[in-house]
Structures are given as C-alpha cells and as structure tokens.
Amino acid sequence: MAALPSIPTREAIARWLPPTAVSAPVVLAAGIVFYMVNLREAHFSQVLQLAAGWGCLAVLFGMYLAPGSRRAPWRFVFLLLSLYLAMRYMWWRTFETLIYTDPWDFLGMSVLFIAELYSLAVHFLQLFVNFWPLERDPAPLPADRSTWPTVDVFIPTYSESEEIVRLTALAATQIDYPREKVRVFILDDGGTLARRNDPAKSEEAWRRRYRLKEIARELGVEYLTRESNRAAKAGNINHAFAQSDGELILFLDCDHVPTADILQETVGHFLEDDKLFLVQTPHFFCNAAPAERSLGGDTPVPDESEMFYRVIHPGLDFWNASYFCGSAAILRRSHLEEIGGLRGASITEDAETAFELHRRGYRSRYVSKPMVCGLAAEAYADYALQHTRWAQGSVQIMLLHNPLFAKGLSLAQRLCYFNVCFFWFFGIARIVYLVAPAGFLIFGLSIYHASAAQIVAYSLPHVAATFLITDFLFGRTRRPFFSEIYESIQAVFLTPAVLSTVRHPHKPSFKVTPKGIGLETEQLNVLSFFFFSILILNALAASAGFVRFYAQPLYRDVIAVTLVWGLYNIYLSVVSLGALWEKRQSRKHHRLIVSGQAMVQFPRVRQRLAVDLIDLSLSGLSFHSALDFEVKERERVVVEAASADGLVSYFEAEVVRGSRRGARTVCGARFLMPAQSLPDVVHYVYGDSGRWLAVWEARSRGIAFWRVMLQLVRMGLRGAWICLTIVLRIAWSWIRGRIEARTVRAEAKA
Amino acid sequence: MKKAALFLWLALAAAFPALADTLRLPLSQLTALSTLELRCVSDQREIQVPLPERWNLKRLVLNLRYTVSTNLIPDSSQLVIRMRGEPVAQARLNPLAPEVKLGVDIPVKLLVPGYNALVFQVAQHFSKNQCESPCSPDLWTNVSLAESYLEMEYDWKAVPTELSSLSSFVFDPRLMPAGEVHLVTEDDSARSATLAGIVASGIARRFDYRRVGFTVSREPRPGVDNVLIGKRAFAVKVLGEAAVRPVKGGYLKVLPMRTAAGVADPTRAMLVVTGESDLAVKIAAITFTNISFKFPGTDELEAFEFKLPEVEQYSGRETIRTDQTYPLSTLNFPTQSFVGINPGSRAITFRLPPDFHIRPNQYAKLALNFSYGAGLKSDSSFNIAVNGKGVRAVALDSASGNFIDGYKLDIPTYVFQSGTNTLSFTGHLHAGGQVCDLIQPDNLFLTLYGNSTLSFPPMPHFVEMPKLELFMHSGFPLTRWPDGHESTVWLTEKSDRALAAALDLVGVATQRNGFPLFEIEFTHERPKTEGEVLVVGRVPTVPAELRQAAPLKIQDGDVIVPYPVVRGWNAEFTQAATSRQKSALGTGRALLMQFQSPWYPGRTVTMLTAMRDEDLIEASRALLTSAAQGQTKGDLVLIEPGDPDPKVTAMEAGSPYATGKRGSYSPLESFLYTRPAAYYAVSAGGILVLAVALFFFARRWRQKRRKAG
C-alpha cells in the first residue's frame, strides 16, 4: 500500500508562505484583483477599454510626479497599478489575440508571444524583488575590542597587474580594525606550481610569484599559492580557506580597493545575528564601462552596476535573498565550513554559495554603502567576457539547482533567485523584438492579431507604464532608454552564450575579466555588425511598411503601429552603433569627480588656502579656488588632506595646469610621491567611503527631461554619423579601388 | 348545342364567382429590394413569383406602376416584361408621360408550381443618332414595388392522400399570403402541448419563411388543414375506428378533411399523428417533422424509432461555423458570371450565431477564384460588400483578361453582425474605347467560381441581454441548442388560445433558426430545471415573481411603468422615468418582454402577456409579420394588432445581464459585465485594499528584517 503523504508541518508552511500571507485581507484583496483581471474587459465598448487603459496610466503618471509616491503605502499603490496594467495586457494578449491563421503565422506569433511572456514574467519578478528595498541601520561594534571577531582578508588574483594587487593589499592593511585581528592574504593563482612548471607560462609565473611575494613581504601581508589551478577562483579561495582561521572572511577582488571603514560598517551585523552568513556591500567602479563612456557624453551617467547595487540588492535584502557577489563581502567561516567552502558547480561560485547557505536557513544582509573601489572592464571584449560569465553562471544555477523548487528556501527567496537566473535570457526576447516588425511588414506574417484601437487601449498603456515603473524604481540609477540600449548590446553576445549553456550546462568554464587594460585607439566594435544587420532589416521593413500602408488600406492601423515599432528599432540600432564606438582610454589612474574641500599650501607666495576639489585620483587632483595670484606651471604645492577619520596627511605636488575661469582659478596638480607617502595617498584617495557615496549621489542627480531627450537625440545622431562614416568609408574604398584598378590597367596598357 | 353549352358555362361562371379565391399581392412582398431601378442603356431585374402546388391558377394580372426618365427618347426606349423567359408585354418608355400604369394579363400556362421568374428588361437611350454614354445618369426607369401588384385568381386542388405530399403540397412555403393550421389535441395538458409544440415546429419549418398561424382545440376545424395529435383512442373518438387502424408504434396518416356538414373536403388535409402510448405519439410527431422529401408514397406509416443526428450548439439554418472553410457553392452561390455593361449584384446570405462577440482584431478570410474577359476598360472593377458596406474593389485591369486563383481578402469581422449577413459581389464592367466607338459588350464578363472559399475565425460567445431582436433574428436564446434543449414554454393557464399563441412564437423561432424544436418542453408550472423560458399567458395568471422581474411590472396592487424620457442616439443610453400607478394594460394590445430569470441568473425569460386570450393570439399573429418582427427590439415591446400592419412600440427599460455559450454567467459576472463602472470601481478598490494590506504585511516583515532576521 502506498504511503500516505505526510501533512506539512507548521514550520514547512511558514517557510513556504510569508508570515502574513495567510492573513485574510491580503489574500482576499489579491483574489479580488485577480478575479477582476481574469474577468477581462473584452466585453466592454472599445471606448471604455481605452479610457480604462489611459485612465490607469494617467493615475500612474500623476503618482509618478507626486512627491510622496515613492514612500509606502503609496509606493505599493503605484506598483500594484502598474502590475494591474501589465496583467490586463497579458490577459488580453493571451485570450484575445492568439488566433491561428496559418502555420507560418502561428510560428511567428508563438515566438513573439513567448518573448512577451518572458518579458512580463521578468517584469513581475522585478516588481516583486523591488517591492520595498531595505535601508539598514548601522550595526555598531561593541566598545570592547577584544570581543570583535578575527577577520581574514582574501585577495585572489590570477593575471592582473601586480600594481593593482599592491594597491588593494595596501588599502587592506589600512582597514580600521585591530591589527592583530586582521590577516591579509594575497591568493595568487597566476603563480601556481602547475603554471610554474608549464614551459609556456613558467617565466611569467615565476616572475609574478617573486614580485607578489615581495609586495606581500613589503606590506606585511601573506602570500599564498597552490599546486594547480583546479576549480579556478573557487578552488583558489578554498585552498586559502583551509590555511587560515579568521572567524570572518572579507573577500576582495584584486582590483577592489577597500575603504578603511569596511569592517567597522559590516562586522557588527555578525554580532547581532548568529545565523548571518553574509554581509554584502556594493561594488563601486571608478571608471566607466565602454557603453557608458560612449553614451554618457559630457554628463556623468550612473554606472551600469549601480542599478543592481543601489536598488535591486536592497530589494533582495528585504526578502532575505541578498547574495554573495564575489567581492566586497564578508562571510562567516563557520557557516562556510558547513558546505565545504565555496561551491563550484557553476562559474558563479559566489551566488551558488549564497544559494546553498540560504537553503540551509542562514541569513544574509546587505549594507548599501560603497566600501570598495574597483575597475570596470575597459573594452567591449572584456565587458562581454564578464557579462557572459555572469549570464552563464546564473543559467547554470537555474539548470543545476532549479531555485523555484529548491528545498529550504522561502517562497520569496525562490522567486528572487529565479529572477536572478531567469533575467539572463533577455537577449533572446530582445532579438525577437528587433526582428518582429520585419516579419509582418516584409513577409506579411500576422504575428500580432490586434486592431489599432486595441493596441492603443492595451499595449501602449502597458508599454508606457513599463517605462514609468522602470524610472520610478531605478530612475536614480538608470537613465531612460539606457536599459534598452544595454540590453540590445548585450543581447548580441549573451544569446549564443546562454543557449550554449542551456544545451551543455556543465561546459562553461571560469574566465577572469581583464582589468586595468586601456584602449589605445578609437574603434567600432565587431558587435556592430549585428546592429548593421538589424538596421538594414528594419529599414527594409519600414520601406515595405510604407508601401503596404498605401496598398492595404484595411490594415492601415496595424501597419502604422508596426511601422512605429520598426522605426524605434532603427533608432535603437543607430544608438547602439553609437555606443559600440569604443573611445580611447589610456589614463593610468582613473579620475573621479569628487566634491569637498582641502587645504593647499603655495610655498612660493607663502599662502595656505582652502580649495574646492573637482576630481581626484591616485596620481593627482584638480581643484578650484579664488586665488589672487597667478599659478605657474610646475609650481610646487603641498596638499593637506584630511581623511574621514580625521588623519591629516601632507602631499607634495606640482601644478601641471592652471587657468582662470571668472574669479576662480582651476588647477590640476600631480602628486610627487616618494614611496613612503604612497600609503597616505592611498588612504586619502581610497580610504573614505563617504567619498564614493558622494560620487554615487552626484551621478544619480536627476537631470531635466528635456536634457535626457536631447541626450537621446544626440546619441541617435552620433550613431547615425557613425553609420554614415562607415558607409562613406566603404564607398570611398570602393571608389579608390576602382580608380586604382583603372590606373593599373591604363599603365599596363601604356 | 354548342351555343347552349357555352351559355350554360357562362351562367355557371356568373353564378359561382366565389368558387375561385383572389389574392392581390404587392410586388414589394416578393422581393427584399426596396426599389427596382433599371439603369444604363440595357438592364434587367428579376422577381420570383411563387405559385403553390395546391393552387389551380385561373388568372394572373400584373398591375405595374413605373416612372421613366424624362430624358429618354421614346422611339428607341422600351420596357419588356417576361415571365419565365417569355415576353408577356412591352411598352415604349415615353418621357412625355413619365408616370405610367400598365396592366398586363399574364397567360397562366406560362407559370409552373414553384417560383417563376418575372423579368423587367429595358433598352433605353437619351440620344438619337449621336454618341451617348452607356451608363449616363439620364438612363433610368423606376418600377414602384409598393404600388405594383399581382392579382391572382385561383382555386384549390385536391390534396393527394400521400404523406410525402405534406412536405411540398400541404405545408408549402409558396402558399400566400400565409399558412394556417389547426391542431386538434387530446386535452389541455402540458404533455399534449409539448407534442403540439413539436408538430407546430415541424410545420413552421416546412413553411420556411412563410408565416403560419396556429389554432388549437379538441375538435377539427373545417376550412383549414388540421393535425390531430393524441393517442389512438382519442383519434378514434374524433375520426372513427375506420380512420385509424390498430398500431404498435407511432402512426401517421393523411386524410381529406370534412366540412362542418360532414362532407369530405379534398382541398384540405387532416393529418393524424397518433400511437398507442405517449412515446409512440412523440415518435410519430418527430417522424412527421422530419419528412423532408417525397417518401413515403403511401397515406400512412407506422414509426417505431427515430434517430436524430448529433446536434451542436449554434447550428441552424444558413449558420456559418467558425471551424470550417466554406466553398461558396455550398453557400448557395454556384459559379456565376457577370455579363454585360451593367451586370448587377449577386449576394450570399448567411447567419452568424446571434451571441457572437465580434472582436475588432479578427478577420474573415475570403479566397476568390475568378476570371474576366479581355478588352475591359482599366477602370472596370469587381466590388465586394458586406451588409451593403464596400470592403474591396478589385481592379480588373489586365487588358488581355485574366484568371485569378486564390485572391485573398481579409475582411474585419466588425463589418459583420450577429444574425443575418449579406456578402455581395458587384461587377462594374466597362468597355474600352471612345464614347462614339462601337461597343462590343460580349467580352464584358466576369466569372466568380463556386470553389472560392469563405471562413471565419473562432469567435467567443457573449451577448448583453435582454435583446428581443435576437429572438426575432434566430429565436435566441430558445434556440441556443437548435433543437430547443434547455428551453421551456411555460403556459400560465390551460387555454387553447394561449397555447396557440405560444405555438405561433415557437413557429417563429423554428423558422428563424431552421431547426425543429424537438426538445422544447411545455409546462403549466414553474420549470424545475435551469434553462431559457418562454412564458405565455394572461396577465392575471402570470406568477407575481415574473411580473415583478419584468421591465413593466403589472403587480396586483399597482403598475410600475417605464416611460422613455430621453432617447440618445445610441438606444443603449435610453433613460426612462418609472411611474408607479394604479392602471391596467387594457384590451386590444399585448406586451412582449424579456428579462433575466428571477430563479436562474443569466437565463432569460421571454414573456408574451395580455389581458385577454384573444389579445394574446392577435399579438402572436402580429408578431408573424415582418413589419412587427423588424420593429421588435430591446426588452419591452407593446404590440397593438392592426391592419395592414400592427403598431409596435419597443424600448429598453430593464436591467442588463450577460449570457454566453455556457448559457449563463454567475450573477456577479453578469453584474460586472453589464456595469463597467462597477467593474472598474471594484478593480480600483481591490488594488487600494491590497496596497494597504500589503503595507501592513510588509512593514512587519521589514521591521523583522531590520532587527535580526
């Protein structure tokens, strides 16, 4: 006789359902809303459907403009209203527009519908994840320092330059924490025994090993390497894990320079909660990724990762689903030991490790304060490599661990992890959207059975609401339309990578993202080929659309809508081409736009003045001040730099440029750095997390809508100019070829 | 001797003029056209003149009233009238006497039983020995359909004593002006009424669109065709032992009627539908309703079983299904040619289920195969229209002619309507060359092949009720199941006249849907099962709950009457004031109302009520006329029978509700579907409540997360 299924325990039910989800009002109200959406409005007159769609949108827009709408409970009204519009659209799309006409139409219709379903699912998941991002209060450490836990700092490295490692290790030694309770480890995977014995890599491996050991000795930190490179970064860390004993471990990528307060801001959380396994902090980048560099123009643009670290991750934290991002995070050794260190089934060992510990009921927190400063990938190739690894690793987790049905996770955690993994399929949907208008306009496939009135009543309010909600949630960290451009660009390289992972989930291997490698020349990235194809396809589609518009008057409304879609795709392609124009990037140390004051001594005129900082880097700074004397080139100055902890350092510098702007003088100065003052400079430049916070705020400062639109137009023009340049170049090379050939023929004849 | 015989014949003819019946039939009753205009240099129009098989036509006179264009030249303009191809009259079209009355005696030998084509053909010109445009606006002749009529003198043939004659001879759709049948029932029970309903439905179906009225009693009625329905004992009691032999199964027999004096009247039939048991009678009734061709050749049959085909919802006369592709030939549109300069239109008439919810994003697909001749002028075209609205003009612009296979046209479904639709094709074939060139019209042809196809996409069933017009279009909702399954006729009293009125309405529903209502049940009590209900009875006998639910509430103490105050352009927004008063419906009038069942939400009650029996029957007869049917709409119709046409006042006064394929929606669904403001208010309320509820949940969770876990 088959055993009866056991009755789930109260704990099991509680794990599955959020604590108050069983409360009647939520269930009842959710039931009512679902019931109403499910009833649908198809039976009402079109005027009513139209009024409902745009009425909802008008309310959303009103709330979007209203000052208090981002605060609860209005925030929830906003989210639910946008959810309602999306569900209304999805129900309409599913029950009213899926009509079989013929096999090819059906195929096209199915592909588009699946792409839309995917987008809507991701949209719903995003609304859930960003339901109410958590802002945490600081968790101060107790006054008795002897009770503070010991911390190991792991700096894994593989092929990055030794200077980058030195900088990070140096900053690690300056972390504000009892010296005896911190051990810093450089985990060198570039100098392993296997590499040293490999004839092709031996010389470089030996050289790297000696150099890094020397740096370690110089800084008083420990150098560790291992026999082989098995299990890549996870293996490297696990090797060090076995040879260290700190209660907590701070993980730092070798280009992530920590601020002095990183442990002060995080370790206290571990003392508050025994079941806490992770405190993750944001990754802050001092340089712009390639797309931002191309798109940003003169205005500082929020970093691509800011949306994740400033909004999404606090959202994940609300649901106890903040996960390990590989660096700038502190983990508790005892909990890690339970699972044998970092997990390595996927190439995103960090997320996989957090997933496993969440499954075991441990908790995580997120402190939304940037306390490391890192380097973003400089070139598109590196950018693609990095994003491909994230995408492949996330897809691996989805396929190998299936977060939706993983035991031990709460329902919210399941949805959050699923969102993290599922998100990476966006490339496929994006390509479908780029190609779809051509299906109808060129090939006449009926893939979207909707009248213009229905599109206006359902599709447009939903699309507009999506833009509104995106800006509502992420507006501080992502400019309008930038997500579209980022996704379009990433779609090109992520789609094949994701599909290949789906086919062979165990195949992807860990590849280190090269950092600190500049670009010598400006160039159009090879990915642009794809956008040229999309541009041509949509241009053909638009031409066909204009012909159809006059030839098929019965379809004019649908043709007009598809035509607009095609033109939008053309715009997106053109802007993407503009973004794929890689700018030259040869600066040794990246300059950061900062604010604040410093004191500068001008020995030549015997003056000591307060100046306003403009930018700052490891090699120098710019400032402006109302000077009543002329600054000379190569003039020596002394910068009095007061760190956040009150420590004042004096750096000698020389003026490299000086110019007057109105009543103020703008100066650029280069530090004259003897080796012994490097720690002070590092401490001043990188030691203050408040500085990175200020940079974040400066980047996210809202700009006027017209300026955003202007920027978008400029981006379009730039893309168009690039297209034109390329077409002219091709035309010129063809003409030149013809002329040369003719000349050669004439000469031969002569 | 010959002279004496002739004298005697003339004397007899003068002495018995009443032996022959005379019918005066306006042409407007023979065609759906509103006008008959003959245009261009050459044109012709056709009207089908029906001749019932049981008529012995003595004389036929066409009294024509027409108007000609004053620009015509009489010498070369002429009207020819043909009956079945034979010219029976011709007249000059004289502009000096543009209003013409013409009497044409049509030889009766030209007509045959069935439909006879009466053709009006013109050749007309406005210039002599000069060039003229072949389709100049000056070239027209208009025949007044309302003022032209046929005068028919006829007597009745003897009814053949064959059961098969029922389908074409007795219950003949060509019988004018209307059919009348008397039903002899065994008693006034619901069982007898149900059997009478099945028989009446079968008779109405035979009469096709020809209106037919029923009367009911326990005895035969001389002078009309009779049907006796009941067990054998009853048949023996009425007709005698000799008329009905002992049988085992159901039994059908056709006999000549008898006059009041008991003399045989061979011109009228008595059909006996009987059997030893109720079941046998029912089998006989169903068998009768299905005898649709000339079999059997005997005057009686004994029926033991009748297997009905699988009946699907929404099937019925000329109804298009959404999962089929129809060749036009199956829609009564065989391969047809449009020939000449003014070849006119051809149309397909079909029906869509009355509760189809027509969505704006769906398209019917029409794939046409056609060919056309060479030498057409480039502005020649082939126009396609749906319900009179043009949807495409296909250019016939190949000078050498063409054969086009699979010309695909997607027609938005919103140009169609639930119920009857017409898809028409019109050729505009123009000859090439200059005005003065000799026109060669023989090459002007377009042939549309019957293998062209029409298909409809799947469409949902949803309709906002009440809508009496749907009852008149297709008997909806009684005919949602075409055989009347789930439908009941509730007679609120045991009255032959009320039953006759109900049978008239059952007949209307059957004729509109084209399927006999085998499954419809008659009852004198409240129906016990869920379904659609047709209530017929005098006001005092109608249960109070129904009177309360009706849009015009005639209660015991007082009456609540909705009076229209404002009627917008869209009748949906009619505003009515309600008056509570002590009054009564009065006599000489009846009410037809439709409303939601007070017991089964989403189900419909259609109710015909009046103060007197005779008003009920008069109203039901009035509802058989196309004039009354055309005006019946909304949920409250006041019928005042009159001659020639009844007076009908229709309005919307009750509460709306929704219905669909399932038959009904829940009360909540129905409420929300018919009140959009409530729908959106509940949605908005739900969102607000959910937001607040989530806020309290989230706040607790957030506090917990900020502390320890």
Side-chain angles (χ1 to χ4, degrees), chain A residues 98-125:
Chain A
L98 298 183
I99 299 164
Y100 179 85
T101 43
D102 71 43
W104 290 109
D105 286 354
F106 180 75
L107 184 69
M109 181 184 77
S110 305
V111 170
L112 181 61
F113 181 65
I114 290 168
E116 281 192 77
L117 270 187
Y118 163 81
S119 302
L120 280 165
V122 170
H123 181 60
F124 291 163
L125 286 168

Side-chain angles (χ1 to χ4, degrees), chain B residues 27 47 88 121 190 468-469 495 510 512 524 550 558 587 626 681:
Chain B
L27 294 189
I47 288 176
V88 292
Q121 188 178 19
L468 277 167
E469 56 267 41
S495 152
T510 305
R512 291 290 154 185
H524 291 113
D558 46 22
T587 57
S626 54

Side-chain angles (χ1 to χ4, degrees), chain B residues 578-648:
Chain B
T578 50
S579 161
R580 186 158 171 259
Q581 53 190 249
K582 199 160 189 68
S583 60
L585 176 60
T587 57
R589 53 183 53 193
L591 286 170
L592 181 66
M593 295 187 279
Q594 200 172 58
F595 48 93
Q596 185 168 208
S597 165
W599 302 290
Y600 302 111
R603 294 293 188 172
T604 301
V605 174
T606 307
M607 183 163 82
L608 178 68
T609 188
M611 291 307 289
R612 302 181 307 174
D613 274 351
E614 48 267 50
D615 293 334
L616 277 180
I617 194 82
E618 287 293 316
S620 71
R621 289 295 165 88
L623 286 170
L624 299 180
T625 63
S626 54
Q629 288 176 358
Q631 293 176 68
T632 298
K633 57 188 173 186
D635 60 353
L636 173 58
V637 175
L638 180 71
I639 305 151
E640 296 166 273
D643 195 30
D645 289 327
K647 195 172 171 192
V648 173

Side-chain angles (χ1 to χ4, degrees), chain A residues 18-21 25-26 29-30 32-33 35-37 39-44 46 48-49 52 72-74 76-77 80-81 84 95-97 99 101 131-137 272-273 317-320 363-365 449-451 454 554-555 558, chain B residues 357 359-363 365 391-392 409-412 414 457-458 460-462 464 665-666 668-669 672-680 682-683 685-702 704-709:
Chain A
T20 50
V26 174
I32 289 172
V33 175
Y35 177 75
M36 299 310 287
V37 172
L39 273 187
R40 305 202 306 282
E41 303 154 59
H43 309 308
F44 299 156
Q46 288 210 347
L48 275 174
Q49 295 172 32
W74 293 113
F76 303 142
V77 177
L80 288 174
L81 209 54
Y84 173 77
F95 295 106
E96 305 286 322
T97 68
I99 299 164
T101 43
F131 186 63
W132 202 1
L134 194 63
E135 296 124 28
R136 286 199 172 274
D137 296 329
E272 279 185 354
D273 182 6
D317 192 25
F318 177 81
W319 296 115
N320 188 24
R363 291 187 279 263
S364 62
R365 290 189 186 186
H449 297 278
S451 68
Q454 287 178 316
L554 274 177
Y555 284 104
V558 182
Chain B
H357 183 59
R359 299 192 293 195
N361 60 332
Q362 291 188 311
Y363 296 83
K365 292 197 177 292
V391 291
R392 175 63 68 91
L409 180 62
D410 288 355
I411 306 172
Y414 58 76
H461 293 266
F462 173 91
E464 193 175 307
Y665 290 96
S666 72
L668 182 61
E669 282 175 328
L672 292 169
Y673 276 154
T674 51
R675 288 164 187 81
Y679 174 89
Y680 290 118
V682 173
S683 301
I687 289 171
L688 279 174
V689 172
L690 184 58
V692 172
L694 281 173
F695 170 65
F696 286 110
F697 152 69
R699 197 172 58 173
R700 258 182 64 183
W701 175 256
R702 189 178 173 87
K704 192 177 162 197
R705 281 290 296 151
R706 289 176 87 158
K707 281 177 190 161

Side-chain angles (χ1 to χ4, degrees), chain A residues 697-739:
Chain A
E697 291 308 320
R699 279 179 186 167
S700 64
R701 207 162 291 140
I703 59 169
F705 184 72
W706 68 268
R707 285 192 64 185
V708 175
M709 296 318 290
L710 195 70
Q711 194 175 0
L712 291 171
V713 171
R714 213 165 47 201
M715 281 154 54
L717 290 176
R718 181 188 167 77
W721 171 245
I722 288 166
C723 293
L724 187 68
T725 313
I726 287 163
V727 169
L728 288 176
R729 269 189 204 169
I730 293 168
W732 172 239
S733 79
W734 182 78
I735 292 167
R736 204 171 54 187
R738 292 293 299 264
I739 293 170

